[in-house]
Amino acid sequence: MGGSLLSTPYRFLAANLNVIDESLAPVPPTHVITLASLTTCASIVLYQHGRSTLRSARQLIKWAYRVGLKTTCQYYTIQIAKALPWMRKKLDRDIQKQTDEMIFQVETEWNDLLDSSARLPENKHHVLPERTTSSSQLLSLLTKWSRFESERWNKGQASGAIYHGGNTILEFLSQVYGLFSVTNPLHPDLFPYVRKMEGEIVQM
């Protein structure tokens, strides 16, 4: 009984294969393959995006309308490919390689740019220090580091890194930053002028 019921869909499909073949005969095979692929991709996307199929379909249509069908197909094809186990492993290896190179650059190459004072144990802070540093001592050290950095780009050894209008404007900006260093634009009721300036700058 169970085997008979199980085989019913297969018998129905086999009986109608000729009808399906005749219906698809005028359609080029590439079109059939493309349509089947897009249908499969769309089914996977609708399954993965949210519990509501209708809502996911609307989002997919809006996305396709906004960025175009080609871009949408490319995006979701990449997402599906990324879900494949062998592709996921390859991506993980590439990410790990980039991470290792970045760590090496930060810990080795960039540290070589620092002067000897920055490498002293007392000037390395990976945790909160047990003893405080005086304001004058800290300001002296930071001034030294600032001069060291400024000398490099002031000599014209940097391209596309620093944009400024001269020392006069830099000094003026430092004064302005000092006036508004303790503010929070998320609270316009407390800082209405910060909100005013921020809104006008964005509008520009």
Side-chain angles (χ1 to χ4, degrees), residues 108-189:
T108 305
E109 296 180 1
W110 288 354
N111 279 341
D112 292 340
L113 301 174
L114 304 176
D115 64 2
S116 57
S117 64
R119 303 179 186 182
L120 296 175
E122 58 268 24
N123 290 331
K124 291 183 178 181
H125 304 289
H126 301 290
V127 295
L128 291 176
E130 296 180 359
R131 293 181 297 178
T132 60
T133 303
S134 64
S135 300
S136 58
Q137 183 180 357
L138 184 59
L139 187 59
S140 174
L141 180 64
L142 294 177
T143 302
K144 178 181 178 181
W145 290 356
S146 176
R147 288 174 179 171
F148 174 81
E149 292 183 344
S150 299
E151 287 178 357
R152 302 192 68 198
W153 60 264
N154 270 325
K155 292 179 180 179
Q157 298 178 353
S159 175
I162 298 295
Y163 301 91
H164 68 98
N167 292 330
T168 302
I169 293 182
L170 290 179
E171 293 174 0
F172 172 72
L173 290 177
S174 297
Q175 296 177 8
V176 173
Y177 291 150
L179 293 174
F180 294 93
S181 60
V182 185
T183 58
N184 190 342
L186 296 178
H187 295 275
D189 54 329

Side-chain angles (χ1 to χ4, degrees), residues 1-117:
M1 182 68 177
S4 176
L5 291 175
L6 185 62
S7 61
T8 300
Y10 296 101
R11 290 204 304 269
F12 175 80
L13 180 61
N16 291 275
L17 279 178
N18 292 333
V19 178
I20 297 175
D21 291 339
E22 292 175 0
S23 301
L24 295 178
V27 182
T30 54
H31 291 187
V32 177
I33 296 174
T34 302
L35 181 61
S37 301
L38 291 176
T39 303
T40 302
C41 293
S43 301
I44 296 175
V45 169
L46 293 176
Y47 175 78
Q48 292 179 343
H49 285 262
R51 298 178 179 179
S52 173
T53 303
L54 182 59
R55 182 178 60 185
S56 300
R58 287 200 301 264
Q59 293 175 350
L60 179 60
I61 293 172
K62 288 181 180 179
W63 171 270
Y65 181 78
R66 186 169 65 250
V67 303
L69 181 60
K70 180 180 179 181
T71 302
T72 302
C73 293
Q74 290 175 343
Y75 171 78
Y76 283 109
T77 300
I78 293 174
Q79 298 304 313
I80 294 172
K82 287 166 60 177
L84 299 176
W86 64 271
M87 180 61 73
R88 184 72 260 171
K89 291 181 180 179
K90 184 178 185 305
L91 290 174
D92 291 340
R93 288 196 302 268
D94 292 342
I95 293 174
Q96 186 61 47
K97 180 181 178 181
Q98 295 294 332
T99 302
D100 294 340
E101 291 178 355
M102 187 180 299
I103 292 175
F104 175 80
Q105 187 178 37
V106 171
E107 295 182 348
T108 305
E109 296 180 1
W110 288 354
N111 279 341
D112 292 340
L113 301 174
L114 304 176
D115 64 2
S116 57
S117 64

